[in-house]
């Protein structure tokens, strides 16, 4: 059996006119727009047999055991028992299963159209020509053993809420001093785990949102400061020191503080100026997803990315385990067979990785995802993929590997939000767009994170953490396309210096999380 229907023609039928949404004509389930009480008569002559929570699925016809179920016109799983029309469809009667996918490589590749007229944002132009969206001084660590020292250095430049003193008051163009610590760097092999960590650290060391960077080590760890700088060719970009070489904690902290003080004046010399929005590279992420994610925030973000890419910008899709089951939609849009094959190679790697660790990729939907109406990884992946819009897939890179192409790019990585975004920033993202249905709170210094709510009740409940409400699409007060334009304009505004809600809350220093792949020994 083949799952080959494209979601390109997906329609939402009377999203605001009924309690139930049927997304695609081929779908065997509808989605509850609001809570549905048992006995409620719905469109298509369906009567709810049980109470259906908002965002959950309801059977549109009688379904025999083993029969495929579809949402978005795509297979999301198979009936594990008989399901009557009007019944609640969820974990009790829907399960994942094997089926053949029609990858149809490059079959939906588009010819590049004319580039949209130039638009600009108020960015920071570095001497080497790269463009930044923020201006931080960074403190990296080679190993967890130097995390405390790094944090003490950064703490010396934080405002004092008791005295009102601000060590950065004379440097208004510096967004902050941030220490990014992690839990690894030693007790690891010198193979892939170490290479991945160093690639991630190097991506941050080179990131244009840092004006200056120092890396602090302990001195005896596997991830040696000198080897990091030499292997990743960071000489001249990254200053290095060790606690043991400095003579202990107090002296190392003082040396770190002196370094920051010595570069603040130079860092403050920047001025924002108009730069093309083609320099925006946005990391796409969904976390704390619900059933509305694939109906509102994710496709609206995809529409915004289509606009950004039309202006020459870049969108970095990731979360390979949350692409699993929907990868055939990306292979169709691959710019070349080589790009498609690289994506499929990463899918195969994850299948082997999951088997080796005795876990199922279908274990990905979290309790919160399931409470929000998502049942299988197939369903979650199809909704997550909508973030990538409709343009061609131009490149596939490994975790934290530098992105070198414009357009829609896929970076391999886990579905765990901090780990994924850490890799995307290391790959070059200078903006993060984070959709959430359950209410994830998140930031990722040195890059601003825009939070997009999938539904209006959650947006109202957590408005201090959310930047954009995409629940307007379900409410019927805004079209998906209009919401996409609103997100696109917000991207330009935030890239130009306006603070996000997560920045106002001070998020971003603790979310740095390189992928801890491999054995700890």
């Amino acid at each position: 059996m083949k799952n080959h229907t494209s979601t390109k023609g997906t329609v939402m039928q009377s999203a605001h006119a009924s309690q139930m949404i049927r997304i695609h004509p081929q779908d065997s389930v509808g989605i509850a727009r609001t809570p549905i009480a048992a006995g409620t008569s719905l469109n298509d002559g369906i009567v709810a047999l049980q109470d259906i929570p908002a965002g959950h699925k309801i059977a549109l016809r009688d379904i025999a055991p083993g029969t495929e179920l579809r949402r978005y016109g795509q297979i999301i799983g198979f009936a594990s028992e008989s399901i009557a029309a009007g019944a609640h469809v969820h974990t009790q009667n829907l399960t994942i299963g094997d089926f053949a996918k029609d990858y149809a490589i490059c079959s939906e590749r588009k010819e590049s159209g004319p580039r949209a007229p130039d638009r600009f944002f108020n960015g920071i132009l570095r001497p080497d020509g790269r463009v930044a969206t923020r201006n931080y001084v960074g403190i990296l660590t080679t190993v967890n053993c130097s995390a405390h020292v790094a944090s003490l250095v950064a703490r010396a430049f934080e405002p004092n809420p008791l005295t009102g003193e601000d060590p950065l008051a004379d440097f208004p163009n510096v967004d902050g001093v941030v220490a990014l610590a992690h839990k690894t760097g030693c007790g690891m092999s010198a193979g892939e785990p170490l290479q991945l960590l160093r690639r991630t650290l190097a991506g941050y060391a080179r990131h244009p949102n840092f004006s200056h960077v120092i890396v602090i080590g302990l001195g005896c760890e596997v991830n040696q400061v000198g080897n990091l700088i030499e292997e990743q060719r960071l000489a001249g970009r990254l200053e290095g020191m060790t606690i043991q070489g400095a003579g202990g904690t107090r002296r190392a902290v003082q040396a770190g503080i002196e370094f920051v003080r010595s570069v603040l004046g130079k860092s403050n010399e920047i001025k924002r100026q108009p730069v093309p929005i083609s320099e925006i590279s946005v990391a796409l992420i969904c976390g704390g997803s619900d059933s509305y994610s694939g109906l509102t925030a994710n496709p609206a973000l995809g529409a915004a990315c289509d606009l950004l890419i039309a202006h020459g910008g870049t969108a970095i899709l990731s979360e390979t385990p949350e692409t699993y089951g929907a990868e055939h939609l990306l292979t169709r849009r691959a710019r070349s067979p080589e790009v498609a094959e690289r994506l499929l190679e990463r899918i195969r790697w994850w299948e082997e990785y999951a088997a080796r660790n005795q876990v199922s990729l279908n274990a990905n939907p979290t309790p919160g995802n399931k409470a929000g109406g998502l049942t299988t990884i197939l369903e979650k992946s199809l909704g997550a993929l909508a973030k990538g819009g409709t343009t061609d897939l131009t490149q596939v890179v490994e975790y934290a590997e530098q992105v070198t192409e414009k357009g829609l790019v896929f970076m391999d990585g886990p579905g765990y939000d901090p780990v994924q975004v850490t890799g995307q920033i290391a790959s070059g993202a200078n903006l993060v767009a984070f959709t959430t249905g359950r209410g994830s709170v998140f930031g990722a210094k040195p890059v601003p994170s825009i939070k997009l709510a999938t539904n209006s009740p959650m947006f109202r409940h957590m408005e201090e953490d959310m930047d954009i409400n995409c629940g307007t699409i379900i409410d019927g007060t805004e079209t998906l396309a209009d919401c996409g334009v609103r997100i696109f304009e917000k991207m330009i505004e935030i890239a130009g210096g306006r603070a996000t809600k997560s920045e106002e809350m001070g998020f971003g220093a603790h979310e740095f999380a390189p992928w801890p792949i491999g054995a700890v020994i």
Side-chain angles (χ1 to χ4, degrees):
M1 136 188 356
K2 293 187 177 182
N3 185 31
H4 60 270
T5 304
S6 170
T7 57
K8 185 168 58 175
T10 294
V11 293
M12 184 183 298
Q13 297 181 350
S14 303
H16 62 284
S18 168
Q19 285 182 273
M20 184 182 71
I21 303 164
R22 182 171 185 169
I23 303 169
H24 191 279
Q26 291 188 8
D27 287 354
S28 47
V29 296
I31 309 300
R33 186 178 68 84
T34 58
I36 298 173
T40 301
S41 295
L42 303 167
N43 43 322
D44 296 328
I46 302 297
V47 176
L49 300 183
Q50 299 112 16
D51 291 342
I52 311 294
H56 282 239
K57 294 177 287 296
I58 185 169
L60 298 179
R61 54 180 174 268
D62 293 336
I63 302 168
T67 302
E68 66 185 41
L69 278 82
R70 289 180 180 259
R71 177 182 177 179
Y72 309 108
Q74 301 287 324
I75 294 173
I76 61 170
F78 299 84
S80 58
E81 59 184 45
S82 295
I83 304 174
H88 181 210
V89 176
H90 201 32
T91 53
Q92 76 280 3
N93 52 20
L94 175 60
T95 187
I96 197 170
D98 292 329
F99 60 96
K101 303 180 188 73
D102 183 0
Y103 292 121
I105 290 174
C106 301
S107 63
E108 296 181 11
R109 181 179 56 193
K110 299 177 180 178
E111 295 293 331
S112 299
R115 180 165 159 172
D118 284 344
R119 285 195 60 182
F120 298 86
F121 75 99
N122 203 23
I124 299 165
L125 185 62
R126 297 297 187 191
D128 61 4
R130 295 180 307 151
V131 173
T133 58
R134 294 294 185 268
N135 187 41
Y136 280 92
V137 175
I139 306 165
L140 301 178
T141 56
T142 59
V143 67
N144 182 247
C145 308
S146 56
H148 183 60
V149 166
S151 68
L152 289 176
V153 175
R155 198 179 305 169
F157 298 92
E158 294 176 355
N160 188 322
L162 299 179
T163 66
E165 295 179 359
D166 183 358
L168 298 181
D170 293 333
F171 308 98
N173 295 326
V174 178
D175 289 307
V177 177
V178 60
L180 300 177
H182 55 91
K183 301 297 183 184
T184 184
C186 204
M188 63 194 311
S189 69
E192 184 182 23
L194 181 59
Q195 293 170 0
L196 189 149
L197 175 62
R198 285 181 174 169
R199 189 165 71 225
T200 304
L201 292 172
Y204 273 74
R206 296 189 183 98
H207 201 284
N209 281 16
F210 282 132
S211 65
H212 301 81
V213 186
I214 185 172
V215 61
I216 301 175
L218 175 60
C220 56
E221 63 271 21
V222 170
N223 186 27
Q224 289 282 297
V225 169
N227 292 344
L228 167 67
I229 293 174
E230 180 180 4
E231 178 187 293
Q232 296 295 324
R233 300 179 181 177
L234 296 172
R237 173 62 181 166
L238 182 65
E239 293 290 329
M241 61 172 286
T242 67
I243 298 167
Q244 293 167 354
T249 298
R250 184 186 60 79
R251 291 177 180 174
V253 171
Q254 188 57 44
I257 290 173
E258 289 173 0
F259 166 80
V260 175
R261 286 176 176 162
S262 73
V263 301
L264 282 175
K266 184 69 174 176
S267 180
N268 192 59
E269 291 176 2
I270 66 97
K271 292 183 179 179
R272 287 188 176 269
Q273 58 185 289
V275 293
I277 64 173
S278 58
E279 297 297 331
I280 294 176
S281 178
V282 59
L284 310 178
I285 172 175
C286 51
S289 300
D290 66 356
S291 190
Y292 297 128
S293 296
L295 299 176
T296 62
N298 286 354
L301 177 56
C305 289
D306 285 351
L307 292 172
L308 178 64
I309 290 168
H311 285 83
T314 305
I316 305 175
L317 191 64
S318 187
E319 303 172 294
T320 315
E322 295 178 22
T323 304
Y324 182 75
E327 68 273 14
H328 60 289
L329 300 181
L330 283 178
T331 59
R332 292 162 176 263
R333 294 158 49 192
R335 175 170 290 179
S336 69
E338 291 75 20
V339 170
E341 179 52 36
R342 193 162 195 210
L343 175 65
L344 294 176
E345 186 276 326
R346 299 318 300 164
I347 293 291
R348 291 191 291 268
W349 184 93
W350 274 94
E351 290 175 331
E352 295 168 0
Y353 181 64
R356 186 165 67 246
N357 288 279
Q358 299 181 340
V359 298
S360 169
L361 288 174
N362 193 44
N364 179 285
T366 65
N369 295 153
K370 292 177 180 179
L374 295 174
T375 307
T376 68
I377 186 58
L378 303 178
E379 181 182 16
K380 187 177 181 182
S381 293
L382 289 164
L385 203 63
K387 300 190 303 294
T390 64
T391 62
D392 290 350
L393 179 65
T394 62
Q395 186 179 22
V396 175
V397 299
E398 293 194 25
Y399 184 84
E401 184 181 359
Q402 287 293 297
V403 169
T404 58
E405 298 287 338
K406 296 287 190 177
L408 178 64
V409 175
F410 188 90
M411 185 204 77
D412 182 36
Y416 182 42
D417 306 337
V419 174
Q420 175 211 333
V421 175
T422 295
Q424 288 170 303
I425 292 173
S427 289
N430 55 18
L431 192 66
V432 175
F434 190 132
T435 68
T436 181
R438 306 296 292 174
S440 296
V441 294
F442 185 83
K445 291 178 180 177
V447 173
S449 297
I450 306 171
K451 302 301 291 300
L452 295 85
T454 72
N455 63 87
S456 296
M458 187 275 286
F459 176 81
R460 290 189 291 266
H461 186 60
M462 299 184 66
E463 193 164 352
E464 291 182 342
D465 291 285
M466 300 293 126
D467 295 287
I468 296 176
N469 179 23
C470 301
T472 52
I473 298 168
I474 290 291
D475 297 341
T477 60
E478 188 177 35
T479 67
L480 192 152
D482 287 343
C483 188
V485 170
R486 187 158 55 92
I487 296 169
F488 174 63
E489 296 296 338
K490 178 66 76 172
M491 287 180 180
I492 297 171
E493 182 182 1
I494 297 298
R498 178 159 183 176
T500 65
K501 297 287 183 68
S502 65
E503 288 179 301
E504 291 173 351
M505 288 285 183
F507 279 93
H510 301 291
E511 289 78 3
F512 179 72
W515 188 3
I517 194 172
V520 177
I521 56 176

PDB file of all heavy atoms in Angstrom, residues 161-189:
ATOM      1  N   PRO A 161      19.717  43.736  41.036  1.00  0.00           N
ATOM      2  CA  PRO A 161      18.357  44.221  41.295  1.00  0.00           C
ATOM      3  C   PRO A 161      18.224  44.956  42.616  1.00  0.00           C
ATOM      4  O   PRO A 161      17.272  45.708  42.819  1.00  0.00           O
ATOM      5  CB  PRO A 161      17.518  42.930  41.297  1.00  0.00           C
ATOM      6  CG  PRO A 161      18.485  41.848  41.655  1.00  0.00           C
ATOM      7  CD  PRO A 161      19.805  42.264  41.074  1.00  0.00           C
ATOM      8  N   LEU A 162      19.170  44.761  43.539  1.00  0.00           N
ATOM      9  CA  LEU A 162      19.094  45.421  44.844  1.00  0.00           C
ATOM     10  C   LEU A 162      19.657  46.835  44.798  1.00  0.00           C
ATOM     11  O   LEU A 162      19.092  47.773  45.383  1.00  0.00           O
ATOM     12  CB  LEU A 162      19.845  44.590  45.894  1.00  0.00           C
ATOM     13  CG  LEU A 162      19.303  43.172  46.126  1.00  0.00           C
ATOM     14  CD1 LEU A 162      20.145  42.445  47.176  1.00  0.00           C
ATOM     15  CD2 LEU A 162      17.848  43.226  46.575  1.00  0.00           C
ATOM     16  N   THR A 163      20.776  47.004  44.085  1.00  0.00           N
ATOM     17  CA  THR A 163      21.409  48.328  44.024  1.00  0.00           C
ATOM     18  C   THR A 163      21.049  49.108  42.769  1.00  0.00           C
ATOM     19  O   THR A 163      21.253  50.327  42.713  1.00  0.00           O
ATOM     20  CB  THR A 163      22.940  48.174  44.085  1.00  0.00           C
ATOM     21  OG1 THR A 163      23.384  47.494  42.893  1.00  0.00           O
ATOM     22  CG2 THR A 163      23.359  47.377  45.311  1.00  0.00           C
ATOM     23  N   GLY A 164      20.534  48.396  41.760  1.00  0.00           N
ATOM     24  CA  GLY A 164      20.224  49.054  40.496  1.00  0.00           C
ATOM     25  C   GLY A 164      21.440  49.245  39.610  1.00  0.00           C
ATOM     26  O   GLY A 164      21.327  49.822  38.523  1.00  0.00           O
ATOM     27  N   GLU A 165      22.597  48.782  40.050  1.00  0.00           N
ATOM     28  CA  GLU A 165      23.811  48.932  39.256  1.00  0.00           C
ATOM     29  C   GLU A 165      23.783  47.993  38.049  1.00  0.00           C
ATOM     30  O   GLU A 165      23.382  46.842  38.153  1.00  0.00           O
ATOM     31  CB  GLU A 165      25.047  48.634  40.117  1.00  0.00           C
ATOM     32  CG  GLU A 165      25.254  49.623  41.253  1.00  0.00           C
ATOM     33  CD  GLU A 165      26.476  49.270  42.089  1.00  0.00           C
ATOM     34  OE1 GLU A 165      27.130  48.255  41.775  1.00  0.00           O
ATOM     35  OE2 GLU A 165      26.764  49.998  43.042  1.00  0.00           O
ATOM     36  N   ASP A 166      24.236  48.509  36.916  1.00  0.00           N
ATOM     37  CA  ASP A 166      24.291  47.735  35.691  1.00  0.00           C
ATOM     38  C   ASP A 166      25.691  47.829  35.106  1.00  0.00           C
ATOM     39  O   ASP A 166      26.086  48.891  34.591  1.00  0.00           O
ATOM     40  CB  ASP A 166      23.264  48.252  34.677  1.00  0.00           C
ATOM     41  CG  ASP A 166      23.238  47.417  33.400  1.00  0.00           C
ATOM     42  OD1 ASP A 166      24.036  46.470  33.284  1.00  0.00           O
ATOM     43  OD2 ASP A 166      22.418  47.721  32.510  1.00  0.00           O
ATOM     44  N   PRO A 167      26.486  46.760  35.163  1.00  0.00           N
ATOM     45  CA  PRO A 167      27.855  46.806  34.642  1.00  0.00           C
ATOM     46  C   PRO A 167      27.934  47.104  33.153  1.00  0.00           C
ATOM     47  O   PRO A 167      29.004  47.484  32.666  1.00  0.00           O
ATOM     48  CB  PRO A 167      28.386  45.395  34.948  1.00  0.00           C
ATOM     49  CG  PRO A 167      27.525  44.877  36.045  1.00  0.00           C
ATOM     50  CD  PRO A 167      26.176  45.464  35.791  1.00  0.00           C
ATOM     51  N   LEU A 168      26.811  46.927  32.424  1.00  0.00           N
ATOM     52  CA  LEU A 168      26.819  47.189  30.983  1.00  0.00           C
ATOM     53  C   LEU A 168      26.151  48.518  30.628  1.00  0.00           C
ATOM     54  O   LEU A 168      25.869  48.777  29.457  1.00  0.00           O
ATOM     55  CB  LEU A 168      26.118  46.043  30.245  1.00  0.00           C
ATOM     56  CG  LEU A 168      26.756  44.656  30.379  1.00  0.00           C
ATOM     57  CD1 LEU A 168      25.965  43.629  29.581  1.00  0.00           C
ATOM     58  CD2 LEU A 168      28.214  44.669  29.930  1.00  0.00           C
ATOM     59  N   ALA A 169      25.910  49.347  31.632  1.00  0.00           N
ATOM     60  CA  ALA A 169      25.203  50.616  31.386  1.00  0.00           C
ATOM     61  C   ALA A 169      25.934  51.497  30.386  1.00  0.00           C
ATOM     62  O   ALA A 169      25.293  52.237  29.623  1.00  0.00           O
ATOM     63  CB  ALA A 169      24.999  51.352  32.704  1.00  0.00           C
ATOM     64  N   ASP A 170      27.244  51.428  30.370  1.00  0.00           N
ATOM     65  CA  ASP A 170      28.024  52.261  29.449  1.00  0.00           C
ATOM     66  C   ASP A 170      28.206  51.612  28.079  1.00  0.00           C
ATOM     67  O   ASP A 170      28.921  52.154  27.228  1.00  0.00           O
ATOM     68  CB  ASP A 170      29.405  52.557  30.057  1.00  0.00           C
ATOM     69  CG  ASP A 170      29.316  53.431  31.300  1.00  0.00           C
ATOM     70  OD1 ASP A 170      28.343  54.212  31.403  1.00  0.00           O
ATOM     71  OD2 ASP A 170      30.203  53.311  32.169  1.00  0.00           O
ATOM     72  N   PHE A 171      27.562  50.463  27.880  1.00  0.00           N
ATOM     73  CA  PHE A 171      27.704  49.728  26.623  1.00  0.00           C
ATOM     74  C   PHE A 171      26.310  49.371  26.093  1.00  0.00           C
ATOM     75  O   PHE A 171      25.939  48.187  26.031  1.00  0.00           O
ATOM     76  CB  PHE A 171      28.554  48.477  26.844  1.00  0.00           C
ATOM     77  CG  PHE A 171      29.870  48.742  27.513  1.00  0.00           C
ATOM     78  CD1 PHE A 171      30.014  48.552  28.889  1.00  0.00           C
ATOM     79  CD2 PHE A 171      30.956  49.223  26.791  1.00  0.00           C
ATOM     80  CE1 PHE A 171      31.216  48.803  29.516  1.00  0.00           C
ATOM     81  CE2 PHE A 171      32.169  49.493  27.410  1.00  0.00           C
ATOM     82  CZ  PHE A 171      32.305  49.283  28.788  1.00  0.00           C
ATOM     83  N   PRO A 172      25.540  50.368  25.707  1.00  0.00           N
ATOM     84  CA  PRO A 172      24.130  50.128  25.339  1.00  0.00           C
ATOM     85  C   PRO A 172      23.942  49.267  24.106  1.00  0.00           C
ATOM     86  O   PRO A 172      22.854  48.710  23.899  1.00  0.00           O
ATOM     87  CB  PRO A 172      23.592  51.538  25.101  1.00  0.00           C
ATOM     88  CG  PRO A 172      24.803  52.363  24.765  1.00  0.00           C
ATOM     89  CD  PRO A 172      25.912  51.787  25.593  1.00  0.00           C
ATOM     90  N   ASN A 173      24.973  49.116  23.268  1.00  0.00           N
ATOM     91  CA  ASN A 173      24.842  48.308  22.060  1.00  0.00           C
ATOM     92  C   ASN A 173      25.204  46.838  22.282  1.00  0.00           C
ATOM     93  O   ASN A 173      25.122  46.031  21.350  1.00  0.00           O
ATOM     94  CB  ASN A 173      25.719  48.879  20.943  1.00  0.00           C
ATOM     95  CG  ASN A 173      25.256  50.261  20.515  1.00  0.00           C
ATOM     96  OD1 ASN A 173      24.069  50.545  20.529  1.00  0.00           O
ATOM     97  ND2 ASN A 173      26.197  51.117  20.160  1.00  0.00           N
ATOM     98  N   VAL A 174      25.591  46.499  23.516  1.00  0.00           N
ATOM     99  CA  VAL A 174      25.892  45.100  23.862  1.00  0.00           C
ATOM    100  C   VAL A 174      24.651  44.495  24.505  1.00  0.00           C
ATOM    101  O   VAL A 174      24.156  44.992  25.516  1.00  0.00           O
ATOM    102  CB  VAL A 174      27.094  45.013  24.823  1.00  0.00           C
ATOM    103  CG1 VAL A 174      27.367  43.559  25.208  1.00  0.00           C
ATOM    104  CG2 VAL A 174      28.333  45.633  24.181  1.00  0.00           C
ATOM    105  N   ASP A 175      24.147  43.421  23.915  1.00  0.00           N
ATOM    106  CA  ASP A 175      22.922  42.800  24.422  1.00  0.00           C
ATOM    107  C   ASP A 175      23.141  42.000  25.692  1.00  0.00           C
ATOM    108  O   ASP A 175      22.178  41.716  26.414  1.00  0.00           O
ATOM    109  CB  ASP A 175      22.306  41.900  23.346  1.00  0.00           C
ATOM    110  CG  ASP A 175      21.714  42.705  22.205  1.00  0.00           C
ATOM    111  OD1 ASP A 175      20.898  43.602  22.476  1.00  0.00           O
ATOM    112  OD2 ASP A 175      22.076  42.450  21.042  1.00  0.00           O
ATOM    113  N   GLY A 176      24.384  41.635  25.983  1.00  0.00           N
ATOM    114  CA  GLY A 176      24.648  40.906  27.208  1.00  0.00           C
ATOM    115  C   GLY A 176      25.911  40.073  27.109  1.00  0.00           C
ATOM    116  O   GLY A 176      26.548  39.975  26.063  1.00  0.00           O
ATOM    117  N   VAL A 177      26.273  39.512  28.258  1.00  0.00           N
ATOM    118  CA  VAL A 177      27.376  38.560  28.352  1.00  0.00           C
ATOM    119  C   VAL A 177      26.755  37.244  28.788  1.00  0.00           C
ATOM    120  O   VAL A 177      26.118  37.176  29.840  1.00  0.00           O
ATOM    121  CB  VAL A 177      28.425  39.028  29.377  1.00  0.00           C
ATOM    122  CG1 VAL A 177      29.539  37.990  29.508  1.00  0.00           C
ATOM    123  CG2 VAL A 177      28.992  40.394  28.985  1.00  0.00           C
ATOM    124  N   VAL A 178      26.925  36.201  27.999  1.00  0.00           N
ATOM    125  CA  VAL A 178      26.239  34.945  28.283  1.00  0.00           C
ATOM    126  C   VAL A 178      27.218  33.781  28.339  1.00  0.00           C
ATOM    127  O   VAL A 178      28.107  33.659  27.493  1.00  0.00           O
ATOM    128  CB  VAL A 178      25.129  34.658  27.242  1.00  0.00           C
ATOM    129  CG1 VAL A 178      25.682  34.565  25.833  1.00  0.00           C
ATOM    130  CG2 VAL A 178      24.352  33.401  27.607  1.00  0.00           C
ATOM    131  N   ALA A 179      27.065  32.969  29.388  1.00  0.00           N
ATOM    132  CA  ALA A 179      27.844  31.751  29.519  1.00  0.00           C
ATOM    133  C   ALA A 179      26.993  30.569  29.081  1.00  0.00           C
ATOM    134  O   ALA A 179      25.861  30.395  29.543  1.00  0.00           O
ATOM    135  CB  ALA A 179      28.283  31.561  30.971  1.00  0.00           C
ATOM    136  N   LEU A 180      27.532  29.761  28.192  1.00  0.00           N
ATOM    137  CA  LEU A 180      26.824  28.601  27.666  1.00  0.00           C
ATOM    138  C   LEU A 180      27.553  27.340  28.114  1.00  0.00           C
ATOM    139  O   LEU A 180      28.581  26.963  27.541  1.00  0.00           O
ATOM    140  CB  LEU A 180      26.725  28.677  26.143  1.00  0.00           C
ATOM    141  CG  LEU A 180      25.981  29.906  25.606  1.00  0.00           C
ATOM    142  CD1 LEU A 180      26.012  29.921  24.088  1.00  0.00           C
ATOM    143  CD2 LEU A 180      24.545  29.947  26.115  1.00  0.00           C
ATOM    144  N   ALA A 181      27.022  26.716  29.151  1.00  0.00           N
ATOM    145  CA  ALA A 181      27.641  25.516  29.714  1.00  0.00           C
ATOM    146  C   ALA A 181      26.883  24.272  29.258  1.00  0.00           C
ATOM    147  O   ALA A 181      25.736  24.351  28.822  1.00  0.00           O
ATOM    148  CB  ALA A 181      27.646  25.601  31.239  1.00  0.00           C
ATOM    149  N   HIS A 182      27.532  23.114  29.396  1.00  0.00           N
ATOM    150  CA  HIS A 182      26.913  21.852  28.988  1.00  0.00           C
ATOM    151  C   HIS A 182      27.382  20.749  29.922  1.00  0.00           C
ATOM    152  O   HIS A 182      28.158  20.988  30.852  1.00  0.00           O
ATOM    153  CB  HIS A 182      27.262  21.530  27.531  1.00  0.00           C
ATOM    154  CG  HIS A 182      28.735  21.507  27.257  1.00  0.00           C
ATOM    155  ND1 HIS A 182      29.488  20.372  27.365  1.00  0.00           N
ATOM    156  CD2 HIS A 182      29.595  22.494  26.897  1.00  0.00           C
ATOM    157  CE1 HIS A 182      30.753  20.641  27.072  1.00  0.00           C
ATOM    158  NE2 HIS A 182      30.844  21.925  26.787  1.00  0.00           N
ATOM    159  N   LYS A 183      26.919  19.524  29.696  1.00  0.00           N
ATOM    160  CA  LYS A 183      27.148  18.425  30.635  1.00  0.00           C
ATOM    161  C   LYS A 183      28.167  17.403  30.160  1.00  0.00           C
ATOM    162  O   LYS A 183      28.300  16.337  30.760  1.00  0.00           O
ATOM    163  CB  LYS A 183      25.825  17.706  30.918  1.00  0.00           C
ATOM    164  CG  LYS A 183      24.746  18.588  31.511  1.00  0.00           C
ATOM    165  CD  LYS A 183      25.134  19.138  32.872  1.00  0.00           C
ATOM    166  CE  LYS A 183      24.016  19.948  33.489  1.00  0.00           C
ATOM    167  NZ  LYS A 183      24.416  20.555  34.771  1.00  0.00           N
ATOM    168  N   THR A 184      28.890  17.711  29.115  1.00  0.00           N
ATOM    169  CA  THR A 184      29.806  16.701  28.572  1.00  0.00           C
ATOM    170  C   THR A 184      31.192  17.307  28.380  1.00  0.00           C
ATOM    171  O   THR A 184      31.537  18.272  29.034  1.00  0.00           O
ATOM    172  CB  THR A 184      29.235  16.127  27.257  1.00  0.00           C
ATOM    173  OG1 THR A 184      30.084  15.094  26.780  1.00  0.00           O
ATOM    174  CG2 THR A 184      29.057  17.202  26.200  1.00  0.00           C
ATOM    175  N   GLY A 185      32.021  16.728  27.502  1.00  0.00           N
ATOM    176  CA  GLY A 185      33.366  17.217  27.259  1.00  0.00           C
ATOM    177  C   GLY A 185      34.447  16.315  27.812  1.00  0.00           C
ATOM    178  O   GLY A 185      35.625  16.463  27.501  1.00  0.00           O
ATOM    179  N   CYS A 186      34.043  15.358  28.665  1.00  0.00           N
ATOM    180  CA  CYS A 186      34.971  14.364  29.181  1.00  0.00           C
ATOM    181  C   CYS A 186      34.181  13.081  29.395  1.00  0.00           C
ATOM    182  O   CYS A 186      32.960  13.058  29.220  1.00  0.00           O
ATOM    183  CB  CYS A 186      35.623  14.842  30.482  1.00  0.00           C
ATOM    184  SG  CYS A 186      37.215  14.045  30.827  1.00  0.00           S
ATOM    185  N   GLY A 187      34.841  11.986  29.733  1.00  0.00           N
ATOM    186  CA  GLY A 187      34.145  10.721  29.857  1.00  0.00           C
ATOM    187  C   GLY A 187      33.534  10.293  28.538  1.00  0.00           C
ATOM    188  O   GLY A 187      32.484   9.654  28.498  1.00  0.00           O
ATOM    189  N   MET A 188      34.184  10.678  27.446  1.00  0.00           N
ATOM    190  CA  MET A 188      33.642  10.419  26.115  1.00  0.00           C
ATOM    191  C   MET A 188      34.754   9.915  25.209  1.00  0.00           C
ATOM    192  O   MET A 188      35.939  10.142  25.470  1.00  0.00           O
ATOM    193  CB  MET A 188      33.009  11.688  25.532  1.00  0.00           C
ATOM    194  CG  MET A 188      34.005  12.815  25.313  1.00  0.00           C
ATOM    195  SD  MET A 188      33.246  14.432  25.010  1.00  0.00           S
ATOM    196  CE  MET A 188      32.055  14.080  23.749  1.00  0.00           C
ATOM    197  N   SER A 189      34.367   9.253  24.133  1.00  0.00           N
ATOM    198  CA  SER A 189      35.356   8.755  23.188  1.00  0.00           C
ATOM    199  C   SER A 189      35.816   9.883  22.279  1.00  0.00           C
ATOM    200  O   SER A 189      35.151  10.918  22.150  1.00  0.00           O
ATOM    201  CB  SER A 189      34.760   7.618  22.352  1.00  0.00           C
ATOM    202  OG  SER A 189      33.769   8.118  21.468  1.00  0.00           O
TER     203      SER A 189
END
